[in-house]
Amino acid sequence: MNTKESNIVEKYRADYKPYPYLLKTTDLEFYFYEEYCRVISKLRFERNLADNAPEENILILEGQNMELMSLSLDGVMLSHSSYQVTDEQLIIEDLPNSFLLTVETKIQPEKNTTLNGLYKSNKKYCTQCEAEGFRNITYYPDRPDVLSVYNTYIETDIESYPYLLSNGELQEQGVLEGERHFARWSDPHPKPSYLFALVAGDFDLLEEQFTTTSGKKIKLEIYADKGKIDQCHYAMESLVKSMQWDQDKYALEYDLDRYMIVAVGDFNMGAMENKGLNIFNTAYVLANDKTASDNDFQRVEAVIGHEYFHNWTGNRVTCRDWFQLSLKEGLTVFREQQFSGDMNSEAIQRIDDVKTLRAFQFPEDAGPMAHPIRPDSYIEMNNFYTHTVYIKGAEVIRMLETILGKEQFNQGVRHYLSKHDGQAVTCEDFVVAMEDVSGLDLTQFRNWYSQSGTPEVNLQGSWNSESKEWTLEIDQSCPATPGQIHKLPFMIPLKMSLIDAAGKALELKPETTDQLLNYSYGEDKTEIILQLCKAQHRVTFKDIECDAVPSLLREFSAPVKLNYPYSTEQRQHLISRDSDAYVRWQANQELTQSVIEALLREQGEQDMDEIVAPLVACRKFLLTDQQAEVSFKALQLELPSLAYVMELFNPIPVDALISIWPKLCKSVSAQLHSELIATVNDCRAQLSSTSISREQGAPWRKLLNASVSILAYGESEQARQLIADLYDSYDWMTIRQHVLQTTCHYYPNNSTSMLADFYDSWQEEDLVIDKWFALQASQPNDAVFETINDLLQHADFQITNPNRVRSVLATFTRANPSQFHHKSGRGYTLLADQVIRTNKMNPQLSSRLVSAFNGWRQLDCVDRQTTIKHELQRILDTEDLSADVFEIANKALASATAE
């Protein structure tokens, strides 16, 4: 391994110590020139006199990729012998208790391809400082528990950079000699360095005003590239809705006079919640009816809300250290999910949340990077912006709401924010706040913060016709994960009902000798929440006059894998009768899995149509159900993707699934052909109304696309003609993108002209061209390798742009499993080549790409495993490998000998 050992330093949560100094004020000056930026920081320190603060008389400031120009203490220039500079730190000893340190550095933002710190993107300067990017700007205590008041001065060329933005309130701006200008900003709220932001560039501006509950008027501003402001109106609407929702739901008002959003094209993340100045990936701001799909609109609304909600849950109260990241992200994702559910469909949102958790977080929990939502150690913090921290973290917060009840939980959030306003705190502080308002002892609940892995809950139910009792046997466990072999039982809120033959939920009267099994009721006594806390529980429900089907884990009340031996008839009963949308959807997923398992067992010895008959019957019922919500009907009609199906198995029978899955889909398509045609015609009739709005049309487009997908599986001539007609008939991106994808997958000979038309129509819209790249990278045939090679050489492909790279490579690895896992191994080689290519250029992007190898141990083919191990070793042998990539690749390869 040629990686510099200095880059590979593991940090441990147990080693945390407070910073020895308080940073009272941070005054920053930025002087931009054509080839560099001069940064002057004036830092006023005072010794930290807290009892737990170290008594060290040494100041350590982080800094890298910069030139130190000068250093002075209380106005006196320091000699080189009075301080030490390393590749990553500035160290000064023998300091007084209070002092002003002035640091002057020179950096080159235009050469910063990592998109971390201060960099230049499309003729604009912008910053990304979370997690540890500020150390690329100046020497600083770049850690989240060092809070300071910031004052920022920016000076640059007025013609090229007419807008100069930073955190807080604009204090002054003016014109200088030499065609330059300046702006001074001041943020009155103490914040850590990761929340600092600066933007300098030329934009179009969209303005709005929001009046808070207390009557304060807030300026709302969205900055976007020239000519793109017409695509920002929905983002502004979403921002206004977010601000109003946070006031109504949590009584939280915005605390500055101005709220700014800037959309930039080159950005590693989705967006960043910098205080008062959010910097966004354009993908989560720009959207109009022509360029964006319905899913794009929903993502814009969700991410706009997420970053705004951080103003309190992340900014006003922030993390003590990066191990506590889920403190802000898990809570804010939960609030985002609540918001999206209230703005759209709560039931559909909940199912979408579960789909994301299962598709991304469950595999993470089962792989070499498994970690608790509050990790114990890390090498590179950017690798821990994971689905575990975010999505599972949100589920942990949701369980607290379920346990406490919504009203008491909301009180707990407000208590937490009031108690810790202006502080950097821990996950423990949040749980204590919940205990403060509820009086509950949540000691065992804390296992969710310290243990990794996905708990498994196995249940058995039985009805005694003589005693009229229905008994449930419960067993919980959690598989071993790296560094954690044995697990303590989790506190798991299991929400359930019993459904009789008529679909009625029965009144539940629990009886148990288990003193540790607490419970509470839902809205009425037909729904109960059992608080599981031991490895085994047994509960009996009295006065149950008939056998019933258990409706388990309602609303997905805990992030667990639940196993109950349902029969096909019981699953069909839940699909058609249960009132809980998640349970109905889950029964459909289990039905699909049971059919696949039957096909794997039969190996073609039984008639395909007979085996898939339950799936067909379920969908025939759904298509004729006049009471079902259209969006839910579309969700239930869908067949899961092959990538989703693969995650259901361990080990994954790759070749068998690649062979079976298209045959299953083709059989379902043939048996539902007439019903699907009728549904498509019904959707087209609904969408033909001239008065239908985008929001009203979204469910019908979703149902239309779901129907088209299944029709396409049949690869009939009628389906081909219908799909081609849809492309010509509608200019909604939702339909055009889906139809083009379907054509690429099932009628590739017809896709060439469509792809050319799509490109010609949208070549000036980067986000739409991202879709064009992704459509081709997802084609499930051997020609995709030549296609991807051509795409990587395309004039519009930019290896420095994360969105463009992800559109090709992340799409290939995540959405094209049959080719990524090609038996030749060339899918793995393709990915490894690009990981090595992007390693130095953008380590964060490169490490996320290599994560696609994390699940290699679940593959059933030894040859595939051997090839992936070879590619991982090739990556690890790369000269100057980044710490980001090393951590992921090394842990993945090390898992080969972990068992």
Side-chain angles (χ1 to χ4, degrees), residues 57-61 66-73 76-95 99 101-105 139:
N57 189 18
I58 181 171
L59 184 73
I60 299 177
L61 305 178
M66 68 185 71
E67 181 180 354
L68 178 61
M69 306 300 292
S70 67
L71 183 65
S72 64
L73 184 70
V76 179
M77 195 72 65
L78 295 179
S79 64
H80 292 294
S81 62
S82 59
Y83 60 87
Q84 178 185 358
V85 178
T86 71
D87 288 343
E88 297 183 350
Q89 291 180 334
L90 168 62
I91 304 169
I92 311 172
E93 299 187 56
D94 299 325
L95 292 164
F99 57 91
L101 185 71
T102 303
V103 185
E104 181 179 355
T105 58
Y139 289 101

Side-chain angles (χ1 to χ4, degrees), residues 810-855:
T811 298
F812 173 68
T813 59
R814 294 176 182 172
N816 198 349
S818 65
Q819 297 305 309
F820 178 55
H821 295 294
H822 195 280
K823 58 186 177 182
S824 68
R826 54 182 173 170
Y828 308 142
T829 301
L830 186 159
L831 177 63
D833 287 344
Q834 298 308 313
V835 168
I836 293 169
R837 179 185 180 188
T838 56
N839 166 61
K840 290 184 181 179
M841 189 180 306
N842 190 331
Q844 288 186 39
L845 177 64
S846 189
S847 69
R848 282 161 175 74
L849 292 176
V850 77
S851 295
F853 286 138
N854 280 347

